[in-house]
C-alpha cells in the first residue's frame, strides 16, 4: 500500500479550517472526497498542521495511504481534477516511505503574516491580508519581536481552547519587514500553539502603533492574563508557507 506525500496550497476563505467537520466545509474534507473519487476508498488524509478557519497555505503537507498504486503525477492531476471548483491545488504528490508522517516527522513550520498598512479599502486582497489603517513602525515591531525568540512559556499568546500539553515552545524566527504599504511578518518554529502566530502579530501591531513598548509585549502587563494581550490578528493574512522534514 503506497504512502503519498502531498504538497498543497489553498485559499482558506471558504473553509472552516483544515480539520474535517460534519457540518462545515474543510480542506481535509475536500481532499478526502477527491481521494475517494479517484480510488473508491474512504481514506484519511493527515495534515502537517491544523490551520484555523480562513487561514491560507502555500506549502501545507499531508500524507495518505491508498490500496492502488498510481504514478505520482497521475495521482496529483486526478486530485486536482476532482478538487475543482474548490480553491485547493495539489502542487506535488510523491511516494514516500511508510514511516513518513506529515505531522510528526516535521522538524520546522514556516508562516507568513501579511499586513497592508493603508487607509484605502482593499479590492483584490480582500480576505488575504489584514488592513491596518493606522501608521505602523515596522522597525520598532521587529526589535520588539526579537524578545520572543528562543524557548519561552507562550501562555500569553495561546488560545484558551489550545490542547497542547505544554505552553513552552522554542521560536526560531520572528522578523518584521516593510515594503511600501506591505508589512510582512515571517516566523518559524518546530511547532506552534493554537492561535500563537495570530496573537503575536496582534500584539506586535500594538507595539507598531505605539500603544505598547517592547517591555509590554513580553513583560508583566502581557503575562498577567490573556485578556491583557494585544488583539488576535484575523486569519485573513496568515499563510502556512512551508514545512521542513
Amino acid at each position: 500500500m503506497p504512502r503519498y506525500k502531498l504538497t498543497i496550497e489553498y485559499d482558506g476563505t471558504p473553509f472552516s479550517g483544515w480539520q474535517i467537520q460534519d457540518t462545515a466545509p474543510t480542506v481535509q474534507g475536500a481532499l478526502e472526497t477527491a481521494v475517494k473519487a479517484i480510488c473508491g476508498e474512504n481514506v484519511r488524509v493527515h495534515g502537517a498542521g491544523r490551520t484555523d478557519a480562513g487561514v491560507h497555505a502555500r506549502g501545507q503537507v499531508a500524507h495518505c495511504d491508498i490500496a492502488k498504486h498510481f504514478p505520482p503525477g497521475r495521482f496529483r492531476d486526478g486530485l486536482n481534477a476532482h478538487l475543482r471548483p474548490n480553491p485547493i491545488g495539489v502542487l506535488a504528490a510523491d511516494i514516500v516511505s511508510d514511516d513518513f508522517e506529515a505531522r510528526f516527522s516535521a522538524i520546522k513550520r514556516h508562516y507568513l503574516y501579511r499586513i497592508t498598512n493603508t487607509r484605502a479599502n482593499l479590492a483584490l486582497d480582500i480576505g488575504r491580508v489584514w488592513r491596518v489603517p493606522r501608521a505602523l513602525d515596522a522597525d520598532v515591531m521587529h526589535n520588539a519581536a526579537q524578545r520572543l525568540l528562543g524557548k519561552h512559556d507562550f501562555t500569553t499568546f495561546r488560545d484558551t481552547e489550545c490542547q497542547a500539553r505544554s505552553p513552552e515552545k522554542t521560536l526560531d524566527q520572528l522578523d518584521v519587514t516593510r515594503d511600501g504599504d506591505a508589512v510582512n511578518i515571517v516566523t518559524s518554529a518546530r511547532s506552534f500553539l493554537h492561535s500563537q502566530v495570530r496573537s503575536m502579530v496582534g500584539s506586535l501591531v500594538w507595539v507598531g502603533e505605539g500603544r505598547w513598548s517592547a517591555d509590554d509585549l513580553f513583560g508583566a502587563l502581557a503575562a498577567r492574563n490573556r485578556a491583557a494581550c494585544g488583539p488576535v490578528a484575523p486569519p485573513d493574512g496568515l499563510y502556512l508557507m512551508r514545512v521542513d522534514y
Side-chain angles (χ1 to χ4, degrees):
M1 180 178 290
R3 173 164 293 186
Y4 289 87
K5 172 188 174 186
L6 307 175
T7 304
I8 309 153
E9 69 175 15
Y10 52 84
D11 176 354
T13 305
F15 299 107
S16 294
W18 165 269
Q19 190 171 10
I20 196 165
Q21 300 178 32
D22 293 334
T23 59
T26 66
V27 179
Q28 185 184 31
L31 284 163
E32 291 181 4
T33 298
V35 172
K36 184 175 183 178
I38 293 173
C39 61
E41 304 174 57
N42 290 314
V43 172
R44 179 63 70 196
V45 177
H46 303 271
R50 299 176 180 177
T51 53
D52 293 335
V55 174
H56 316 293
R58 290 181 175 169
Q60 171 72 282
V61 176
H63 80 266
C64 61
D65 300 324
I66 60 175
K68 187 175 180 179
H69 181 280
F70 290 92
R74 182 182 169 193
F75 189 47
R76 176 202 62 211
D77 294 345
L79 287 173
N80 284 326
H82 288 288
L83 282 166
R84 301 188 188 106
N86 291 298
I88 304 172
V90 179
L91 305 179
D94 301 287
I95 296 176
V96 292
S97 63
D98 291 343
D99 61 357
F100 175 84
E101 293 278 349
R103 180 180 177 188
F104 298 110
S105 299
I107 59 173
K108 190 171 288 190
R109 293 164 173 83
H110 306 266
Y111 283 89
L112 165 68
Y113 196 97
R114 298 176 58 208
I115 296 171
T116 183
N117 193 200
T118 176
R119 296 190 63 85
N121 290 334
L122 297 177
L124 299 180
D125 275 338
I126 293 175
R128 296 181 178 86
V129 65
W130 182 18
R131 182 178 71 90
V132 178
R134 299 164 299 280
L136 295 175
D137 189 327
D139 291 335
V140 169
M141 292 168 67
H142 176 77
N143 291 334
Q146 305 318 293
R147 302 278 192 96
L148 300 177
L149 296 182
K151 187 175 182 179
H152 300 286
D153 180 335
F154 283 97
T155 297
T156 302
F157 305 100
R158 178 183 190 176
D159 188 273
T160 55
E161 297 182 0
C162 180
Q163 298 178 357
R165 296 178 184 176
S166 170
E168 288 193 351
K169 293 292 179 182
T170 300
L171 194 64
D172 298 314
Q173 180 185 15
L174 187 59
D175 292 333
V176 183
T177 59
R178 176 182 283 278
D179 182 9
D181 290 332
V183 176
N184 295 318
I185 300 176
V186 176
T187 186
S188 302
R190 184 183 182 97
S191 62
F192 292 88
L193 299 167
H194 188 191
S195 295
Q196 180 183 342
V197 176
R198 290 168 56 201
S199 182
M200 292 190 302
V201 169
S203 294
L204 285 171
V205 163
W206 272 16
V207 172
E209 291 175 340
R211 300 192 195 189
W212 270 12
S213 69
D215 290 336
D216 293 330
L217 180 68
F218 208 53
L221 176 61
R224 279 203 301 267
N225 55 64
R226 182 64 189 83
C229 190
V232 177
D236 305 35
L238 185 56
Y239 296 75
L240 174 58
M241 298 297 291
R242 192 175 84 249
V243 183
D244 295 343
Y245 294 91

